[in-house]
Amino acid sequence: MKLGVDYYPEHWPIELLEEDLSRIVDLGATTIRIGEFAWHMIEPVEGTFDFSYFDKVIEKAKQKGLDIVYGTPTATFPAWLAKKYPKVLSKDEHGQTRVFGGRRQYCYNSDDYLRLSLNMVENLTAHYGNEKAIVMWQVDNEFGHEGSDDCYCESCASKFRVFLKEKYGKVEQLNETYGTVFWGQTYNDFEEIPMPLATITTHNPVLKLDWARFRSHSVNAFAKAHIDAITRKKGDHQQITHNYFGGYFDRRYDQNELSKHLDVVAFDNYPVWGGLMKPIEPAEIALAHDYMRGLKQKNFWVMEQLIGAQGHDDIGYLPLEGESSLWASGAMARGCESLFYFRYRGFTKGAEQFCQGILDADNRINDKYKEVQRFFKWAREFEPIWKTPIKNEVAVLYDYDNRWSWKGQRQSSGFDYTSEILRGYRSFYALNTGIDVIDLNKPFTDYKILILPVMQLMSSELSQALESFVSNGGILLFTYRTAIKDKENNLVFGEQVPCYLNDLVGAQVNKYESLGEYRTVNILKGAKTVGEAGVWRDMLQPTTAVSLFNYEAPFEQYSACTVNEYGKGKVYYVAAGFQAQLMDEIAQMMLKDADVFSVKTPFGLELIRRIVDNQIIYILLNHLQVRQQWRGLTIEALEVKIFDELPI
Amino acid sequence: MKLGVDYYPEHWPIELLEEDLSRIVDLGATTIRIGEFAWHMIEPVEGTFDFSYFDKVIEKAKQKGLDIVYGTPTATFPAWLAKKYPKVLSKDEHGQTRVFGGRRQYCYNSDDYLRLSLNMVENLTAHYGNEKAIVMWQVDNEFGHEGSDDCYCESCASKFRVFLKEKYGKVEQLNETYGTVFWGQTYNDFEEIPMPLATITTHNPVLKLDWARFRSHSVNAFAKAHIDAITRKKGDHQQITHNYFGGYFDRRYDQNELSKHLDVVAFDNYPVWGGLMKPIEPAEIALAHDYMRGLKQKNFWVMEQLIGAQGHDDIGYLPLEGESSLWASGAMARGCESLFYFRYRGFTKGAEQFCQGILDADNRINDKYKEVQRFFKWAREFEPIWKTPIKNEVAVLYDYDNRWSWKGQRQSSGFDYTSEILRGYRSFYALNTGIDVIDLNKPFTDYKILILPVMQLMSSELSQALESFVSNGGILLFTYRTAIKDKENNLVFGEQVPCYLNDLVGAQVNKYESLGEYRTVNILKGAKTVGEAGVWRDMLQPTTAVSLFNYEAPFEQYSACTVNEYGKGKVYYVAAGFQAQLMDEIAQMMLKDADVFSVKTPFGLELIRRIVDNQIIYILLNHLQVRQQWRGLTIEALEVKIFDELPI
Amino acid sequence: MKLGVDYYPEHWPIELLEEDLSRIVDLGATTIRIGEFAWHMIEPVEGTFDFSYFDKVIEKAKQKGLDIVYGTPTATFPAWLAKKYPKVLSKDEHGQTRVFGGRRQYCYNSDDYLRLSLNMVENLTAHYGNEKAIVMWQVDNEFGHEGSDDCYCESCASKFRVFLKEKYGKVEQLNETYGTVFWGQTYNDFEEIPMPLATITTHNPVLKLDWARFRSHSVNAFAKAHIDAITRKKGDHQQITHNYFGGYFDRRYDQNELSKHLDVVAFDNYPVWGGLMKPIEPAEIALAHDYMRGLKQKNFWVMEQLIGAQGHDDIGYLPLEGESSLWASGAMARGCESLFYFRYRGFTKGAEQFCQGILDADNRINDKYKEVQRFFKWAREFEPIWKTPIKNEVAVLYDYDNRWSWKGQRQSSGFDYTSEILRGYRSFYALNTGIDVIDLNKPFTDYKILILPVMQLMSSELSQALESFVSNGGILLFTYRTAIKDKENNLVFGEQVPCYLNDLVGAQVNKYESLGEYRTVNILKGAKTVGEAGVWRDMLQPTTAVSLFNYEAPFEQYSACTVNEYGKGKVYYVAAGFQAQLMDEIAQMMLKDADVFSVKTPFGLELIRRIVDNQIIYILLNHLQVRQQWRGLTIEALEVKIFDELPI
């Protein structure tokens, strides 16, 4: 277990180094992350390398007994590079070039950028490959952050065509798949194919999905080349990670693909940032951890743990004393095994002036310093827990192709992919059931419960695997718009929705209606209104399934939610954007069906159940700013408790 | 009378053709529209034509006894064309080129596009000029849809200057008309004149109006060239139409100009589309029909009748069973004489995946199919009604120059031209009076009532014609901002507003105030508040007129609405954006003045009165989703009734 | 004292000149402003000058006894210039060139524009340098209006680099100041430095501030060159002014810099404009006057006094009869010594068709004409008052660097610099205390009270000057976020906030929180909630200061407002965006501390106290549209009263 801070010695006079490192050690840290963003310091002019500054820093750190995570500095590049090779700068969807002066403005498809950055990384890793103190390489930083995974430059245009050519071989195959006969868009040659820039009305949905896949490919191929370069030169004792930015499904690349090549994944744990007036809800915080753990289906690192208010131009909510520790503890509880605070001390200059570190510009030991110190002590105390792997019985399945398909055509102005994942996740979270959040291509047969929200892309292979899962006793939840399309983003001719799944679901979708951002409809159990739904509704016609909920007139003949017994298992289909209380009711049925552990806690109390050496450990977090009582326990505001017997 | 469907056989395997056509016949259809969007199929590479596919389709259709409307496929163009002639692509107001991949991205002023598209159309019409089954050519499709009538490319810039040169002859004349002495903008040469792209604050109002006229000219000249090309080669038995997109006054060309060259006009009857959460109001649906009928002052076609939910990226309201039939019936009642459903079957691929047809991707006979079948049967039963011409006693007059003048300077943030047309139209609609909606240049002397909403451009010729109309007993309604400008969009020096109309109106406008989007003011009858007005108010000073309504302090000395007896007729001036109930009261006075038929029905019940062979026929539509009672009649939800005696 | 109108004879047939001038004289005017915007009339083709038209106008004006303010016409330029020198056109932040056809689209950094415009101005002033009737040159018009002080063209890019080179000398110095080590942005050469165009996330804060300073420098250097050119040729009897547009702190240049070179400053007095539905509040109107007077710390002119509704594309509120006079009187009361109405008659053509003048297009003598006539008579009657200088005991201090620092990073989505200035100003205004509004570099030691809102940039020099001010008995008010940064926009290392001011304030800021646009928090006095605050809050830890207000839990240990006795004076620190009633309470304490005149009047009644020849004169304005009673006085709606004894 590494506990540490992100430290930028180059921001400060060299005279501060000694005191800084001593204070870092006093904090209880064992490790520092350094180096990312410092390309210019090691290659101040093209082709000339100078490692003397970091040699000195590393030497000092070793003297203090600190290990090092070294971030390759390609997330930002030197001004000389932008000046000499202006085409490395990416372009937005209006064709405007992003100028030098921010971060991550490089195009992933720039040959010049790839060559220059690989050269730098190879020199760097060659220089430090034998450095024992460096235990981890972090490749680049926050790939794709802030929309940097989107670019519409000429390199992207031409490599997109190469990508399509490789995928389809012949343009006729592309025409057939796209259905370019529609609007007479048949291509005679790959060279005729546009990027999906502004046109009149909208682009072909398969083109849009292929563009999304190409963006993902661009990031992942760039990252892979970097990982390969590091691998060639690094020492055997050195591992490789990447620090993902937080957020959920709005990036343009599949992190599962990249994660395959990493030893461990790391990410930014920021439950509040920028101008947000309050932290995101506890379930969303937990979802991020479960998602990260799912990338490699093993424990992860937090490379940047928020400690204070953060913002570039806008600032928002100030975390209370203890709140950052609560969030760090929550990460540990859900599989974080090493954690670094961002950052030792906030810099007085630059675009992140208002991103607080542990210490502020006044350089005084403060409440935040003491809080981190306490947290590190606590984490160390319970170290055996954090090392233990986590395996749950419930999984939420997502799929980037599906997510991008929705991005291309949201269908309802109220639709948000992450919200739909959360709609499936939140009720199980509230019942304190352990949940894995994994992509569709991961094995899922060992789970007892699978949740597949808004899975509109479907293949017959997947449908068969799901049938087999349920036949063998699995409990499955679909939500609206399931299986309307094939994997290429086309509707399926001659099939009734949910395509390939009619038997499994035991119902068909006869009609559908978007409810948009503001409209809600009543959900009935028999004649009684029991709740509301928004965003979308499918009109379900049960065949073998039983209706659990239905709509009111004029669609009273349709079911709003069915359950179908299939083999030894059951399939639930929630046909509309049900509100939380209705989802809770369904989750409870499913947990009972599958005989999976759950326990209801009051809102704001989160219970995590870990099994360490066959012993059950409970971690209880109070997310609220007030004291709570539960089953005889008193939990102070923002308190974390660990115990091994569940109170009754 | 043609009843049919829009059919795209090229979207499907040829094996489906036989069954598809049989089902179309079973539907009760006599005609199919085909061909638009299929340029690439008949000219797959530049200059090489191949009609074999459509020859086959037409042959099959003939075997089934189906007639054909053939749409020339120039609304979309082949990818090879965009690649070889990139300047055909239009540019938006930020100079961004609209890329290939959508539809209608051609510039109307591209010489290359005109040449290539005319060549294609001439080859096409030459090939099918003798085809008896083809009874109608539809030129292009939905000219100007989705903003495609706006372009700011270099071709447009240079042709705009030619347009101005032709209009003004000498630049001095343009300077005088524009008043370029203002802000020192005097042009020495036509080459110095800009397109009205972003500048600091705003452009000259006459320049803006001339740009609008030029846009209109660009579309109409393009269309005329195409109509001429078709005319040269087509068979004598073949007519020419165009399918206008719906909506009202937001297009950038005068459809009256284009309609002169058509045998019949056709349009899209879509009372709900895209992400709309409910259909537009019944009065708006009716306005579209009355407007379409007014273009040629004769009956029209519906070339695309909505049958299901429609949307590209966003989807909205799902029409109920019977609702599409209600809308189709409403179109017939207001002058539609032939109607085609869009589309036989929704395509599984392409940008309109989510635009439902009669059949869905599952290809099963469904409720929509049966509904269309019933509608065709009903329409056939009452065929004599639909063939009869319609002539009304009330007309709403609009004028594109006036509309574009408002577009250039909306004056009030609450102003919307269509809403103002509706403000004049709605009360007469609610009283079930037949209304024509025609442009100002059509003859209007035979009407009993004229409504001229927000007619801010005025000429002395028009004022004289209106004086003559009223002198002879006509009843006239003006609304606010009437006659503040001459026909070139300049205020009139030395004239009191309403310019040229002081005597006719019997009042002058002393002051005015914009009320913007949210402000409302009370409207009084004497000392009693009787309603509200928004958007705008003129302060009227009656001379010979009588005040019907007035404002409260501090403008209590001004009238908000006057009526003036003039010759044998009367002139009403509504000086502010009156709410509907006040407009209703004025409409009732006018109908009484003019002795025109009207009958009040409850909201949602629409009564249309047709005269067929000197016999009066009533068509009653219930737009509501609930049963209504009226004068002893029971009208089911969404029901249409036809009868020949009005219940008392 | 000049009283006059803005007159554009060139808009009208020459036949109207005689009558127009006579009517202007009848109005009571002594002066006309002419000439701005008429470049093309005097240089119709490049290099050819023709003054004959204005010679004639001036001759006529002299015959009528009218003096002349002549505006150099460089705010708009001829079409031939834009055509021949397209690079003079400025570019917006998306790189889009602003086309000819509006106004002020020139780039201040265009060498061509500078050369051509100076040549024109030199010819003009040489021609009229001896003209006795011309008493004032107005250089250009409304520098920077409508965003015209922003430009991102290539000239700006290269001159920005020159500006930086001149400021920093060596690029190493710039790197050190910017902290370019952050994100590895170290520049090897000034040529590598970008303009702050769109990048990913945001730019360096010092770069942003330097860009703002460069924009200011660009405008001021251009203006200075023009003033120098006029000075070289003008007659000794001729003075120089500039007409500033209204508004407050949203322009991109420091008007204090420009004002140094002017004999007198002038501005647009428009308390309502465009689509505004009501005038700005009386305190804001007053702030504009106090700001204008502060630029040279002497009386000012109003060069454009609003008389009617104004708008380009949108129009709004119609000023009531007497309301324009009230606003003109308010300007006189606060230091206006000469006033011109905009404009004699509204033009029938051009972009300002809907900007009313005194006369309308109908050219009839109207209510507005009579109102102006009455106002001129009144102003003449009290002329001795207007000539008297104004000196107040309270000053609000602002600083453009500080304002631009906030613009670069607003920190709270609720932050608006002008609102924060108003928060400090409004309570003193409401108590009818005379206030100067001056920039930080003006001498301030003679004031009794200083108000420094949101002064986040601080130097040790300034802190010492403020300490000295308070030591000597001054009363000082700071608001939140004071002194977090040095003058270059960097946080201060090793200093506790408020930096350099810990002793003076007697408190430290331990934490801070943005409250954004919508969040408010309670403000307590002891345990009692007495009001609310928004936008931002500092958590104050008093050392020697006393807490006046505090927060509720969880920040109950921090003060929300402190007062500190320091030497003979006192320092107040308002740590959050306090609502008006709390600010009023603090203002009253301060006025009592400093023994400064104040008197509370009901809302809408504004009392100005002038000292003329050692005699106190009171001017009382009723901004409301209803009669008010105060201390036995009856003040009619919109009435202005002058008296020399304050009623008790």
Side-chain angles (χ1 to χ4, degrees), chain B residues 341-392:
Chain B
Y341 274 89
F342 182 83
R343 50 190 171 166
Y344 170 62
R345 183 172 54 230
F347 190 23
T348 55
K349 302 176 179 182
E352 291 191 347
Q353 278 181 320
F354 296 137
C355 292
Q356 293 190 358
I358 300 171
L359 296 191
D360 297 322
D362 63 15
N363 201 32
R364 301 193 309 186
I365 298 296
N366 59 17
D367 291 348
K368 291 180 289 181
Y369 185 92
K370 292 171 194 160
E371 179 176 335
V372 172
Q373 217 168 24
R374 285 194 302 273
F375 172 77
F376 280 174
K377 188 163 172 294
W378 175 89
R380 190 74 67 205
E381 186 181 337
F382 295 102
E383 186 168 354
I385 305 178
W386 322 134
K387 289 180 167 168
T388 313
I390 295 175
K391 182 77 189 80
N392 292 310

Side-chain angles (χ1 to χ4, degrees), chain B residues 89-104:
Chain B
L89 295 166
S90 63
K91 289 191 179 190
D92 71 14
E93 62 186 348
H94 302 294
Q96 188 171 0
T97 298
R98 292 151 179 152
V99 304
F100 185 81
R103 58 176 169 183
R104 307 207 57 78

Side-chain angles (χ1 to χ4, degrees), chain B residues 10 54 133 135 148 186 211 229 278 287 336 356 383 394 402 418 440 442 491 496 525 552 569 640:
Chain B
E10 70 273 24
F54 284 102
V135 295
S148 63
T186 307
W211 176 257
K278 57 179 189 181
L287 173 66
C336 172
Q356 293 190 358
E383 186 168 354
V394 176
N402 183 49
T418 299
L440 203 52
K442 299 267 190 323
L491 301 179
Q496 176 73 1
K525 196 178 273 182
E552 59 185 354
V640 179

Side-chain angles (χ1 to χ4, degrees), chain C residues 210-338:
Chain C
D210 272 347
W211 176 258
R213 288 158 168 162
F214 167 69
R215 295 311 320 164
S216 181
H217 166 78
S218 303
V219 176
N220 282 321
F222 179 91
K224 178 67 165 50
H226 272 251
I227 292 166
D228 289 349
I230 296 168
T231 304
R232 277 193 292 278
K233 308 285 183 176
K234 78 176 181 63
D236 289 342
H237 70 292
Q238 296 173 335
Q239 290 194 306
I240 303 179
T241 191
H242 175 68
N243 181 41
Y244 292 112
F245 65 96
Y248 304 92
F249 298 97
D250 288 333
R251 61 191 67 84
R252 276 188 165 282
Y253 67 105
D254 183 348
Q255 295 181 329
N256 293 282
E257 184 58 32
L258 172 52
S259 300
K260 285 178 195 163
H261 310 295
L262 302 174
D263 294 300
V264 66
V265 304
F267 95 113
D268 295 342
N269 194 37
Y270 285 63
V272 72
W273 66 90
L276 287 185
M277 283 295 116
K278 58 177 188 184
I280 57 176
E281 61 164 312
E284 281 183 271
I285 300 174
L287 174 65
H289 303 150
D290 289 341
Y291 168 86
M292 278 295 149
R293 196 183 62 249
L295 287 175
K296 289 190 76 73
Q297 293 181 295
K298 60 176 244 191
N299 288 351
F300 59 90
W301 289 23
V302 167
M303 199 62 94
E304 298 190 9
Q305 169 63 43
L306 175 107
I307 177 64
Q310 292 274 333
H312 291 179
D313 294 338
D314 269 350
I315 307 175
Y317 178 83
L318 175 68
L320 298 182
E321 197 169 337
E323 202 159 12
S324 168
S325 299
L326 176 85
W327 294 329
S329 306
M332 303 304 281
R334 289 187 177 268
C336 172
E337 62 178 31
S338 286

Side-chain angles (χ1 to χ4, degrees), chain A residues 552-602:
Chain A
E552 60 184 354
F555 296 110
E556 68 279 13
Q557 71 269 43
Y558 293 110
S559 175
C561 177
T562 54
V563 59
N564 192 41
E565 299 204 20
Y566 187 90
K568 300 178 191 163
K570 281 187 188 171
V571 177
Y572 292 79
Y573 190 107
V574 175
F578 275 27
Q579 67 182 136
Q581 83 192 52
L582 298 175
M583 292 304 291
D584 289 350
E585 190 174 337
I586 295 162
Q588 274 157 343
M589 287 188 255
M590 293 174 71
L591 289 163
K592 198 175 162 197
D593 291 339
D595 191 22
V596 168
F597 170 82
S598 73
V599 54
K600 182 87 187 146
T601 44

